[in-house]
Amino acid sequence: MGTATEAAGKGAGTAPGTAARVALVGVHGFGTHHLRNLERLQAAGAVELVAVADPQPPAPGAVPPSAAIHPGLDELLQAAGDLDLVIVATPIQTHAPLALAALAADAELYLEKPPVASLADFNRLCAAAEDSGRGVQIGFQSLGSHALRAIEELLAAGTIGTLEGISATGRWVRDRAYYKRSRWAGKRSINGVDVVDGVATNPLAHAVATALRIAGARTTADIASVETELYRANDIESDDTSVIRIRTTPGLPITCALTICASESVEPCVTLQGSAGTAVFHYTEDRLSIETAAGRSEKTFGRDDLTENLLAHRASGVPLTSSLLDSGAFMLVLEAVRTAPLPSPIDPAHVRWEGDGDSAHAVVTGIEAALERAGREHATFSELGLPWAVSAPATFDIPAS
């Protein structure tokens, strides 16, 4: 892939050597990450941040003085003129309308994860993207890790033998304040509009997406089955502690065991279970460890920036690292969560609270061991016989292609 500076300005309607005209929608939350990244790319001459949109204005000095500030995308599009790239980093339930508006403006699109809140919206967005001919990058940053190529190579070489299964394990801590930060936090829907802010679809969505990518499951056609078992320790609508069991079309099992009710936050990982060893990918650190009869090795890798990759795609057709179509498999998982029975509340007898006030966070008793067993055995919490696991796995009906 060329550098961002090399890529800038080669797309349609832009003279060579000219910085790509970029707009950012959503400047708070994860939008602050994009602001820092765009500052870096603007200093390199790759982009010009011409405008931002957010109903809550950015903090003084957060955006360049030359960038116009608007309350919404509609006002931004009316005022900004031609744009090369629109980045959307807004609440989940706004992704679909904002993405469709950006594509209608004939701009490339960077859309934060999860792409949208329903499979129907995903299909509409795919159709709009195809009609526009523009690239759509989804913000699964872990998919830019160079460790994924190393994993492909070790599997091809048979380093860990035959791949028999994949597990994704995530245990994080989120306190009461986390669910008070916005009106959509922890919601399944707001006023009939889907949100689906569950542990697997938002905070630990990268665990699911990374496991799917390693398994070679990119599109909706790559998934044969999805089962969900959803729970909540917090007083919320969505799930905060869940197992999702997936089987790919070739038959590979993927089990995602996830919680934000752990005693402490630990780096999430994806484990490849081979007939002759294991490989563990800590995707937030780009760190890969391999263990076989020959011993153990570990290496940390670099990572491609998804915005730079999208600029290179726009300039010279470089394949997108995390394309909209390649998020189809993830969207089937999200749809399974969206349509599943309501998460079962965990009996308070099996939950303890640590901390005070808004800093207090729920801890499910024995959750660390439960997550490890679920991933290793490809079993749900109820199948493991955990005393608080009163549900049964719900099977999602895969839509016909």
Side-chain angles (χ1 to χ4, degrees):
M1 186 181 81
T3 66
T5 305
E6 292 168 342
K10 298 181 183 177
T14 306
T18 303
R21 289 170 52 82
V22 178
L24 173 62
V25 188
V27 298
H28 302 286
F30 202 75
T32 59
H33 165 84
H34 286 287
L35 282 173
R36 290 192 298 269
N37 197 38
L38 290 170
E39 181 180 17
R40 176 183 68 87
L41 294 172
Q42 184 154 318
V47 304
E48 177 192 3
L49 180 59
V50 298
V52 301
D54 198 304
Q56 180 183 348
V63 302
S66 57
I69 299 172
H70 301 278
L73 179 58
D74 288 344
E75 296 88 344
L76 185 155
L77 293 176
Q78 290 172 10
D82 291 338
L83 292 168
D84 299 312
L85 169 62
V86 174
I87 300 174
V88 174
T90 59
I92 301 166
Q93 70 274 15
T94 67
H95 283 192
L98 292 175
L100 291 170
L103 289 173
D106 203 29
E108 310 286 332
L109 173 64
Y110 184 123
L111 181 61
E112 267 308 326
K113 60 82 184 166
V116 285
S118 72
L119 192 60
D121 279 344
F122 174 74
N123 291 332
R124 278 191 285 271
L125 187 55
C126 286
E130 183 176 9
D131 288 345
S132 73
R134 294 301 181 183
V136 181
Q137 182 94 288
I138 304 303
F140 288 116
Q141 291 84 13
S142 61
L143 301 186
S145 178
H146 300 169
L148 293 180
R149 175 61 61 87
I151 290 171
E152 290 178 4
E153 292 170 353
L154 76 86
L155 290 175
T159 303
I160 61 170
T162 302
L163 183 60
E164 297 177 337
I166 296 175
S167 64
T169 306
R171 55 184 209 252
W172 277 354
V173 171
R174 292 295 181 267
D175 58 18
R176 285 193 173 111
Y178 176 79
Y179 291 109
K180 293 182 177 181
R181 74 192 194 282
S182 64
R183 70 187 188 99
W184 57 269
K187 300 289 188 182
R188 285 169 68 96
S189 65
I190 297 177
N191 299 326
V193 177
D194 291 313
V195 177
V196 201
D197 181 32
V199 63
T201 55
N202 193 13
L204 284 164
H206 281 86
V208 179
T210 306
L212 289 168
R213 175 60 62 92
I214 290 171
R218 297 174 180 243
T219 71
T220 55
D222 295 325
I223 300 297
S225 66
V226 181
E227 297 171 276
T228 59
E229 197 172 288
L230 313 179
Y231 296 89
R232 59 173 180 83
N234 287 278
D235 184 17
I236 56 175
E237 291 181 3
S238 58
D239 56 309
D240 57 33
T241 303
S242 297
V243 169
I244 298 173
R245 186 165 54 195
I246 307 158
R247 191 167 292 275
T248 67
T249 302
L252 185 71
I254 306 169
T255 300
C256 304
L258 312 167
T259 190
I260 47 179
C261 300
S263 57
E264 62 178 350
S265 288
V266 176
E267 291 302 324
C269 63
V270 176
T271 301
L272 287 72
Q273 303 155 339
S275 60
T278 59
V280 181
F281 177 36
H282 292 85
Y283 60 82
T284 62
E285 301 175 327
D286 300 306
R287 178 166 56 91
L288 178 64
S289 60
I290 303 167
E291 189 163 354
T292 67
R296 186 179 186 278
S297 64
E298 183 170 289
K299 183 177 179 180
T300 300
F301 293 82
R303 178 183 291 201
D304 290 334
D305 177 71
L306 295 188
T307 302
E308 291 188 62
N309 172 247
L310 181 53
L311 291 170
H313 172 80
R314 171 180 167 272
S316 55
V318 169
L320 289 173
T321 297
S322 180
S323 73
L324 176 66
L325 287 178
D326 281 351
S327 67
F330 175 85
M331 284 303 306
L332 279 183
V333 174
L334 183 147
E335 187 74 358
V337 172
R338 186 184 75 86
T339 59
L342 290 173
S344 298
I346 296 175
D347 187 333
H350 299 285
V351 179
R352 72 176 187 272
W353 286 86
E354 297 185 354
D356 299 312
D358 285 349
S359 297
H361 65 94
V363 179
V364 177
T365 304
I367 190 60
E368 287 80 7
L371 296 176
E372 195 277 331
R373 283 188 62 200
R376 185 180 68 248
E377 300 176 26
H378 294 283
T380 67
F381 296 138
S382 65
E383 291 168 348
L384 293 175
L386 301 182
W388 49 263
V390 297
S391 295
T395 301
F396 174 63
D397 291 329
I398 303 289
S401 301

